[in-house]
Amino acid sequence: MTDVLLTPFDLRGLPLPTRVVMAPMTRARAVREVPDDLTARYYAQRAGAGLIVTEGAPVSREGVGYLFTPGLHTDEQVTGWRHVTDAVRDRGGRVFAQLWHVGPASHVSLQPGGRAPVSSTDRARADTAFARLPDGTPGRVPASAPRALRADEVARVAADFAAAATNADAAGFHGVELHAATQYLFEQFLNSRVNDRPDRYGGRTLADRLRFTLEVVDAVVERLGAHRVGVRVSPFSTVGNMPEDDKAEETYRALAAELAARDLAYLHVHDTSGFGGDGDRVRALLPALRPEGGRTALVLAGGLTPTGAADLIGAGLIDLAAFGRPYIANPDLVQRLRAGLPLAEADPATFFGGDATGYVDYPAVTGAARHPA
Protein backbone atom coordinates (compact mmCIF):
# COMPACT_ATOMS: atom_id res chain seq x y z
CA MET A 1 0.00 0.00 0.00
CA THR A 2 1.23 3.48 -0.86
CA ASP A 3 -1.40 5.47 1.07
CA VAL A 4 1.19 6.95 3.46
CA LEU A 5 2.87 8.62 0.47
CA LEU A 6 -0.27 10.62 -0.08
CA THR A 7 -0.57 11.98 3.47
CA PRO A 8 0.22 15.65 4.21
CA PHE A 9 3.50 16.79 5.74
CA ASP A 10 4.51 20.05 7.43
CA LEU A 11 7.91 21.06 6.04
CA ARG A 12 8.94 23.63 8.65
CA GLY A 13 5.79 25.65 8.10
CA LEU A 14 5.33 24.88 4.41
CA PRO A 15 2.32 22.55 4.14
CA LEU A 16 2.89 19.75 1.63
CA PRO A 17 -0.26 17.93 0.48
CA THR A 18 1.69 14.67 0.00
CA ARG A 19 5.08 13.22 0.82
CA VAL A 20 5.93 12.81 -2.86
CA VAL A 21 8.86 14.97 -3.99
CA MET A 22 9.92 15.56 -7.57
CA ALA A 23 13.68 15.04 -7.46
CA PRO A 24 16.08 17.47 -9.15
CA MET A 25 16.99 16.36 -12.66
CA THR A 26 19.21 18.10 -15.20
CA ARG A 27 17.31 18.24 -18.49
CA ALA A 28 19.58 20.65 -20.47
CA ARG A 29 16.76 22.37 -22.35
CA ALA A 30 17.51 26.04 -21.58
CA VAL A 31 19.40 26.96 -24.75
CA ARG A 32 20.27 30.47 -23.49
CA GLU A 33 20.77 29.33 -19.87
CA VAL A 34 17.57 31.21 -19.05
CA PRO A 35 14.31 29.45 -18.10
CA ASP A 36 11.82 29.88 -20.93
CA ASP A 37 8.22 29.03 -21.75
CA LEU A 38 9.15 25.37 -22.21
CA THR A 39 10.72 25.31 -18.73
CA ALA A 40 7.59 26.84 -17.20
CA ARG A 41 5.39 24.34 -19.02
CA TYR A 42 7.51 21.40 -17.83
CA TYR A 43 7.34 22.32 -14.15
CA ALA A 44 3.70 23.44 -14.27
CA GLN A 45 2.73 20.02 -15.61
CA ARG A 46 4.31 18.50 -12.48
CA ALA A 47 2.87 20.96 -9.94
CA GLY A 48 0.85 18.15 -8.38
CA ALA A 49 3.99 16.96 -6.56
CA GLY A 50 4.07 17.50 -2.82
CA LEU A 51 7.26 19.46 -3.49
CA ILE A 52 9.26 20.12 -6.64
CA VAL A 53 13.03 20.51 -6.43
CA THR A 54 14.25 21.99 -9.69
CA GLU A 55 17.17 20.97 -11.82
CA GLY A 56 20.48 22.37 -10.60
CA ALA A 57 20.76 26.12 -11.17
CA PRO A 58 24.40 27.29 -11.31
CA VAL A 59 25.12 30.02 -8.77
CA SER A 60 27.79 31.66 -10.93
CA ARG A 61 29.50 31.37 -14.29
CA GLU A 62 32.26 29.46 -12.50
CA GLY A 63 29.67 26.96 -11.28
CA VAL A 64 28.62 25.88 -14.80
CA GLY A 65 29.65 22.48 -16.09
CA TYR A 66 26.84 21.66 -18.46
CA LEU A 67 25.47 23.50 -21.46
CA PHE A 68 21.84 24.64 -21.44
CA THR A 69 21.37 24.71 -17.66
CA PRO A 70 19.33 27.67 -16.36
CA GLY A 71 21.24 29.53 -13.67
CA LEU A 72 20.34 31.91 -10.87
CA HIS A 73 23.09 34.49 -11.19
CA THR A 74 21.74 37.05 -13.69
CA ASP A 75 18.69 39.31 -13.69
CA GLU A 76 17.41 37.68 -16.86
CA GLN A 77 17.58 34.24 -15.25
CA VAL A 78 15.68 35.51 -12.20
CA THR A 79 12.95 36.86 -14.48
CA GLY A 80 12.80 33.55 -16.34
CA TRP A 81 12.50 31.56 -13.13
CA ARG A 82 9.77 33.93 -11.94
CA HIS A 83 7.62 32.78 -14.85
CA VAL A 84 8.28 29.18 -13.78
CA THR A 85 7.36 29.69 -10.13
CA ASP A 86 4.28 31.70 -11.10
CA ALA A 87 3.14 28.81 -13.28
CA VAL A 88 3.73 26.28 -10.50
CA ARG A 89 2.08 28.42 -7.83
CA ASP A 90 -0.92 29.09 -10.09
CA ARG A 91 -1.52 25.33 -10.01
CA GLY A 92 -1.13 25.13 -6.25
CA GLY A 93 2.42 23.76 -6.32
CA ARG A 94 5.43 24.26 -4.07
CA VAL A 95 8.94 24.53 -5.49
CA PHE A 96 12.52 24.77 -4.21
CA ALA A 97 15.43 25.78 -6.44
CA GLN A 98 18.48 23.55 -6.35
CA LEU A 99 21.62 25.70 -6.14
CA TRP A 100 24.58 24.18 -7.97
CA HIS A 101 28.30 24.62 -8.34
CA VAL A 102 29.85 21.76 -10.30
CA GLY A 103 33.39 22.36 -9.04
CA PRO A 104 35.81 20.34 -11.17
CA ALA A 105 33.12 18.73 -13.35
CA SER A 106 33.52 21.45 -15.95
CA HIS A 107 35.54 22.39 -19.01
CA VAL A 108 37.62 25.49 -19.69
CA SER A 109 35.29 26.39 -22.56
CA LEU A 110 32.48 26.86 -20.03
CA GLN A 111 34.51 28.84 -17.51
CA PRO A 112 34.86 32.64 -17.36
CA GLY A 113 37.92 33.68 -19.31
CA GLY A 114 38.67 30.05 -20.16
CA ARG A 115 40.12 29.49 -16.69
CA ALA A 116 40.49 26.11 -15.02
CA PRO A 117 37.49 24.89 -13.00
CA VAL A 118 37.87 24.90 -9.22
CA SER A 119 37.97 22.17 -6.60
CA SER A 120 39.26 21.56 -3.10
CA THR A 121 42.42 20.28 -4.78
CA ASP A 122 44.30 20.39 -8.06
CA ARG A 123 44.94 16.65 -7.85
CA ALA A 124 41.51 15.09 -8.40
CA ARG A 125 39.99 15.34 -11.86
CA ALA A 126 36.30 14.81 -12.59
CA ASP A 127 35.29 12.54 -15.45
CA THR A 128 33.27 14.62 -17.91
CA ALA A 129 31.48 17.89 -18.57
CA PHE A 130 28.72 18.65 -21.08
CA ALA A 131 30.21 21.18 -23.50
CA ARG A 132 30.88 21.72 -27.19
CA LEU A 133 32.61 18.95 -29.11
CA PRO A 134 35.29 19.92 -31.68
CA ASP A 135 32.62 20.04 -34.39
CA GLY A 136 30.54 22.48 -32.33
CA THR A 137 27.79 20.07 -31.35
CA PRO A 138 27.00 19.55 -27.65
CA GLY A 139 28.22 16.41 -25.96
CA ARG A 140 30.28 14.86 -23.22
CA VAL A 141 33.91 16.03 -23.09
CA PRO A 142 36.68 15.16 -20.64
CA ALA A 143 36.61 17.53 -17.67
CA SER A 144 39.49 19.99 -17.55
CA ALA A 145 42.17 19.76 -14.88
CA PRO A 146 41.02 21.85 -11.88
CA ARG A 147 42.84 24.26 -9.64
CA ALA A 148 42.48 24.32 -5.88
CA LEU A 149 40.40 27.15 -4.47
CA ARG A 150 42.50 29.42 -2.28
CA ALA A 151 41.33 29.72 1.31
CA ASP A 152 40.63 33.41 0.75
CA GLU A 153 38.28 32.52 -2.14
CA VAL A 154 35.93 30.43 -0.01
CA ALA A 155 34.07 33.51 1.21
CA ARG A 156 33.50 34.53 -2.42
CA VAL A 157 31.96 31.16 -3.25
CA ALA A 158 29.78 31.31 -0.14
CA ALA A 159 28.69 34.79 -1.23
CA ASP A 160 27.79 33.42 -4.69
CA PHE A 161 25.49 30.88 -3.05
CA ALA A 162 23.98 33.53 -0.79
CA ALA A 163 23.37 35.82 -3.78
CA ALA A 164 21.76 32.95 -5.70
CA ALA A 165 19.52 32.26 -2.69
CA THR A 166 18.46 35.90 -2.69
CA ASN A 167 17.77 35.60 -6.42
CA ALA A 168 15.71 32.46 -5.79
CA ASP A 169 13.64 34.39 -3.27
CA ALA A 170 13.12 37.20 -5.79
CA ALA A 171 12.13 34.59 -8.38
CA GLY A 172 9.34 33.29 -6.13
CA PHE A 173 10.76 30.00 -4.89
CA HIS A 174 9.55 28.63 -1.58
CA GLY A 175 13.12 27.72 -0.66
CA VAL A 176 16.43 26.36 -1.93
CA GLU A 177 18.39 23.13 -1.85
CA LEU A 178 22.20 23.10 -1.89
CA HIS A 179 23.56 20.40 -4.20
CA ALA A 180 26.26 18.87 -2.00
CA ALA A 181 26.20 15.45 -3.68
CA THR A 182 27.64 13.34 -6.52
CA GLN A 183 31.16 14.69 -7.12
CA TYR A 184 30.42 18.42 -7.21
CA LEU A 185 32.15 21.16 -5.24
CA PHE A 186 30.88 20.36 -1.74
CA GLU A 187 31.78 16.69 -2.05
CA GLN A 188 35.29 17.66 -3.12
CA PHE A 189 35.71 19.05 0.39
CA LEU A 190 33.73 16.35 2.23
CA ASN A 191 35.63 13.36 0.80
CA SER A 192 38.80 12.81 2.83
CA ARG A 193 40.48 10.92 -0.02
CA VAL A 194 39.99 13.82 -2.43
CA ASN A 195 40.53 16.75 -0.09
CA ASP A 196 44.30 16.91 0.46
CA ARG A 197 44.41 20.56 1.50
CA PRO A 198 46.79 21.48 4.33
CA ASP A 199 44.70 24.44 5.53
CA ARG A 200 41.57 24.83 7.68
CA TYR A 201 39.41 23.54 4.82
CA GLY A 202 41.45 20.36 4.43
CA GLY A 203 40.40 16.74 4.77
CA ARG A 204 42.58 15.67 7.68
CA THR A 205 40.08 16.38 10.45
CA LEU A 206 36.32 16.08 10.62
CA ALA A 207 35.81 19.75 11.50
CA ASP A 208 37.96 20.87 8.57
CA ARG A 209 36.15 18.59 6.09
CA LEU A 210 32.81 20.07 7.13
CA ARG A 211 33.91 23.69 7.28
CA PHE A 212 33.36 24.64 3.62
CA THR A 213 29.86 23.13 3.52
CA LEU A 214 28.77 24.66 6.81
CA GLU A 215 30.07 28.12 5.91
CA VAL A 216 28.06 28.05 2.70
CA VAL A 217 24.98 26.73 4.51
CA ASP A 218 25.25 29.50 7.10
CA ALA A 219 25.59 32.17 4.40
CA VAL A 220 22.43 30.93 2.69
CA VAL A 221 20.51 30.54 5.96
CA GLU A 222 21.34 34.14 6.82
CA ARG A 223 19.55 35.23 3.63
CA LEU A 224 16.50 32.95 3.70
CA GLY A 225 16.12 31.45 7.16
CA ALA A 226 16.87 27.82 8.02
CA HIS A 227 13.27 26.72 7.42
CA ARG A 228 13.69 27.47 3.70
CA VAL A 229 16.98 25.64 3.14
CA GLY A 230 17.67 21.99 2.35
CA VAL A 231 20.90 20.14 1.52
CA ARG A 232 21.38 17.16 -0.80
CA VAL A 233 24.14 14.64 -0.07
CA SER A 234 25.21 11.25 -1.44
CA PRO A 235 27.05 9.20 1.19
CA PHE A 236 29.30 6.46 -0.24
CA SER A 237 28.88 7.76 -3.80
CA THR A 238 31.54 7.01 -6.41
CA VAL A 239 29.87 9.06 -9.17
CA GLY A 240 32.34 11.03 -11.28
CA ASN A 241 35.46 9.11 -10.30
CA MET A 242 34.99 9.88 -6.61
CA PRO A 243 37.02 7.40 -4.55
CA GLU A 244 35.41 5.39 -1.77
CA ASP A 245 36.00 7.27 1.48
CA ASP A 246 36.53 5.21 4.61
CA LYS A 247 35.57 8.25 6.68
CA ALA A 248 32.26 8.81 4.90
CA GLU A 249 30.05 7.49 7.68
CA GLU A 250 31.76 9.67 10.27
CA THR A 251 31.51 12.68 7.97
CA TYR A 252 27.83 12.36 7.12
CA ARG A 253 26.74 11.53 10.67
CA ALA A 254 28.44 14.72 11.83
CA LEU A 255 27.11 16.78 8.92
CA ALA A 256 23.54 15.60 9.60
CA ALA A 257 23.89 16.59 13.25
CA GLU A 258 25.18 20.04 12.30
CA LEU A 259 22.33 20.62 9.84
CA ALA A 260 19.76 19.44 12.37
CA ALA A 261 21.23 21.80 14.96
CA ARG A 262 20.65 24.61 12.47
CA ASP A 263 17.01 23.51 12.07
CA LEU A 264 17.25 23.19 8.30
CA ALA A 265 14.13 22.29 6.36
CA TYR A 266 15.48 18.95 5.21
CA LEU A 267 18.42 16.70 4.46
CA HIS A 268 18.04 15.06 1.05
CA VAL A 269 19.94 11.78 0.74
CA HIS A 270 20.67 10.45 -2.73
CA ASP A 271 21.14 6.69 -2.87
CA THR A 272 23.48 6.29 -5.85
CA SER A 273 23.38 2.50 -6.00
CA GLY A 274 21.97 2.87 -9.51
CA PHE A 275 25.33 4.43 -10.45
CA GLY A 276 27.53 1.93 -8.63
CA GLY A 277 27.08 3.22 -5.08
CA ASP A 278 26.36 1.09 -2.01
CA GLY A 279 22.62 1.29 -1.42
CA ASP A 280 22.66 -1.08 1.54
CA ARG A 281 25.09 1.16 3.41
CA VAL A 282 22.97 4.21 2.61
CA ARG A 283 19.83 2.55 4.00
CA ALA A 284 21.72 1.39 7.09
CA LEU A 285 22.89 4.97 7.70
CA LEU A 286 19.41 6.53 7.57
CA PRO A 287 18.65 6.22 11.31
CA ALA A 288 21.90 8.05 12.13
CA LEU A 289 20.90 10.91 9.85
CA ARG A 290 17.81 11.66 11.96
CA PRO A 291 19.00 13.19 15.25
CA GLU A 292 16.47 12.71 18.05
CA GLY A 293 14.18 15.63 18.60
CA GLY A 294 15.28 17.42 15.43
CA ARG A 295 12.86 19.15 13.08
CA THR A 296 14.95 18.66 9.93
CA ALA A 297 13.06 16.30 7.64
CA LEU A 298 14.80 13.40 5.91
CA VAL A 299 14.23 12.91 2.18
CA LEU A 300 15.45 9.87 0.24
CA ALA A 301 15.91 9.63 -3.53
CA GLY A 302 17.38 7.05 -5.85
CA GLY A 303 15.60 4.11 -7.46
CA LEU A 304 12.62 4.19 -5.11
CA THR A 305 9.40 2.42 -5.95
CA PRO A 306 6.16 3.77 -4.50
CA THR A 307 5.78 0.66 -2.35
CA GLY A 308 9.37 0.78 -1.12
CA ALA A 309 9.08 4.46 -0.33
CA ALA A 310 5.85 3.91 1.60
CA ASP A 311 7.52 1.15 3.61
CA LEU A 312 10.41 3.43 4.58
CA ILE A 313 8.05 6.22 5.63
CA GLY A 314 5.88 3.77 7.55
CA ALA A 315 8.96 2.49 9.38
CA GLY A 316 9.88 6.04 10.39
CA LEU A 317 13.17 5.95 8.46
CA ILE A 318 12.36 8.85 6.12
CA ASP A 319 9.76 11.61 5.96
CA LEU A 320 9.59 12.31 2.23
CA ALA A 321 10.30 10.25 -0.89
CA ALA A 322 11.82 11.82 -4.01
CA PHE A 323 11.22 10.37 -7.47
CA GLY A 324 13.27 11.29 -10.51
CA ARG A 325 12.75 9.25 -13.67
CA PRO A 326 9.10 8.44 -12.85
CA TYR A 327 8.42 12.19 -13.00
CA ILE A 328 9.85 12.47 -16.49
CA ALA A 329 7.18 10.26 -18.05
CA ASN A 330 4.45 10.80 -15.45
CA PRO A 331 3.78 14.51 -14.95
CA ASP A 332 0.66 13.47 -13.03
CA LEU A 333 2.53 10.99 -10.81
CA VAL A 334 0.59 11.79 -7.63
CA GLN A 335 -2.72 11.42 -9.42
CA ARG A 336 -1.63 8.05 -10.81
CA LEU A 337 -0.58 6.84 -7.38
CA ARG A 338 -3.85 8.00 -5.86
CA ALA A 339 -5.88 6.20 -8.54
CA GLY A 340 -3.67 3.09 -8.56
CA LEU A 341 -2.89 3.60 -12.24
CA PRO A 342 0.18 2.21 -14.03
CA LEU A 343 3.25 4.37 -14.57
CA ALA A 344 4.58 5.21 -18.03
CA GLU A 345 8.22 4.55 -18.90
CA ALA A 346 10.52 7.39 -19.96
CA ASP A 347 12.73 7.33 -23.05
CA PRO A 348 16.40 7.71 -21.97
CA ALA A 349 17.30 9.06 -25.42
CA THR A 350 15.44 12.28 -24.60
CA PHE A 351 16.62 12.79 -21.00
CA PHE A 352 19.18 15.50 -21.82
CA GLY A 353 19.02 18.27 -24.38
CA GLY A 354 16.79 18.59 -27.41
CA ASP A 355 13.37 20.16 -27.71
CA ALA A 356 9.88 19.49 -26.39
CA THR A 357 10.12 15.81 -27.29
CA GLY A 358 10.51 13.74 -24.15
CA TYR A 359 10.18 16.89 -22.06
CA VAL A 360 6.62 18.24 -22.07
CA ASP A 361 4.84 15.76 -24.34
CA TYR A 362 4.19 12.93 -21.85
CA PRO A 363 0.39 12.98 -21.37
CA ALA A 364 -1.67 12.65 -18.23
CA VAL A 365 -3.72 9.48 -18.17
CA THR A 366 -7.46 9.48 -18.76
CA GLY A 367 -9.26 9.88 -15.47
CA ALA A 368 -6.33 11.54 -13.66
CA ALA A 369 -6.29 15.24 -12.94
CA ARG A 370 -4.78 16.92 -15.97
CA HIS A 371 -2.42 19.86 -16.25
CA PRO A 372 -2.25 21.92 -19.42
CA ALA A 373 -0.25 20.05 -22.05
Side-chain angles (χ1 to χ4, degrees), residues 91-113:
R91 289 157 179 78
R94 297 134 303 274
V95 56
F96 273 42
Q98 188 186 70
L99 304 185
W100 194 21
H101 190 308
V102 303
S106 186
H107 188 266
V108 292
S109 64
L110 300 172
Q111 290 292 303

Side-chain angles (χ1 to χ4, degrees), residues 88-355:
V88 171
R89 286 173 178 267
D90 284 349
R91 289 157 179 78
R94 297 134 303 274
V95 56
F96 273 42
Q98 188 186 70
L99 304 185
W100 194 21
H101 190 308
V102 303
S106 186
H107 188 266
V108 292
S109 64
L110 300 172
Q111 290 292 303
R115 295 192 291 270
V118 299
S119 175
S120 63
T121 175
D122 59 7
R123 181 175 57 88
R125 187 171 184 153
D127 54 357
T128 61
F130 187 65
R132 296 284 179 185
L133 299 171
D135 64 1
T137 59
R140 291 281 181 177
V141 301
S144 299
R147 69 172 182 86
L149 271 173
R150 300 189 312 271
D152 63 2
E153 292 182 283
V154 170
R156 171 184 61 75
V157 175
D160 287 342
F161 273 91
T166 298
N167 286 341
D169 186 49
F173 285 100
H174 292 87
V176 300
E177 173 182 290
L178 307 187
H179 192 348
T182 52
Q183 79 173 308
Y184 301 120
L185 188 58
F186 291 91
E187 203 169 71
Q188 298 288 308
F189 284 86
L190 292 167
N191 189 307
S192 69
R193 290 190 57 198
V194 171
N195 187 352
D196 59 353
R197 301 172 69 94
D199 61 15
R200 63 196 298 266
Y201 297 101
R204 293 174 298 179
T205 71
L206 177 60
D208 288 348
R209 289 197 298 281
L210 298 182
R211 196 179 312 279
F212 173 83
T213 298
L214 295 179
E215 287 187 4
V216 176
V217 167
D218 290 343
V220 171
V221 165
E222 186 175 350
R223 297 292 181 94
L224 297 185
H227 65 294
R228 298 179 64 195
V229 179
V231 175
R232 191 180 217 214
V233 297
S234 54
F236 316 118
S237 171
T238 56
V239 171
N241 292 334
M242 292 295 287
E244 292 187 18
D245 183 7
D246 58 4
K247 297 180 180 177
E249 185 166 339
E250 172 193 45
T251 297
Y252 287 99
R253 281 174 176 264
L255 179 60
E258 290 282 357
L259 300 180
R262 286 162 169 78
D263 258 352
L264 258 58
Y266 63 80
L267 176 63
H268 185 175
V269 179
H270 185 188
D271 174 357
T272 60
S273 53
F275 305 93
D278 192 332
D280 290 340
R281 290 184 72 192
V282 172
R283 303 297 174 93
L285 186 62
L286 291 176
L289 301 181
R290 298 171 61 88
E292 256 185 70
R295 296 190 293 172
T296 299
L298 190 61
V299 186
L300 181 66
L304 287 173
T305 64
T307 300
D311 288 345
L312 290 168
I313 293 171
L317 290 172
I318 63 173
D319 299 298
L320 303 167
F323 297 90
R325 291 188 179 194
Y327 255 116
I328 293 177
N330 301 275
D332 56 342
L333 179 63
V334 167
Q335 289 81 3
R336 292 182 190 234
L337 294 177
R338 184 170 282 123
L341 296 170
L343 301 185
E345 292 292 327
D347 177 10
T350 60
F351 282 177
F352 307 106
D355 52 21

Side-chain angles (χ1 to χ4, degrees), residues 4-23:
V4 69
L5 273 174
L6 305 177
T7 59
F9 185 79
D10 181 359
L11 186 67
R12 295 297 317 284
L14 178 64
L16 308 184
T18 73
R19 296 170 185 252
V20 177
V21 176
M22 177 177 164

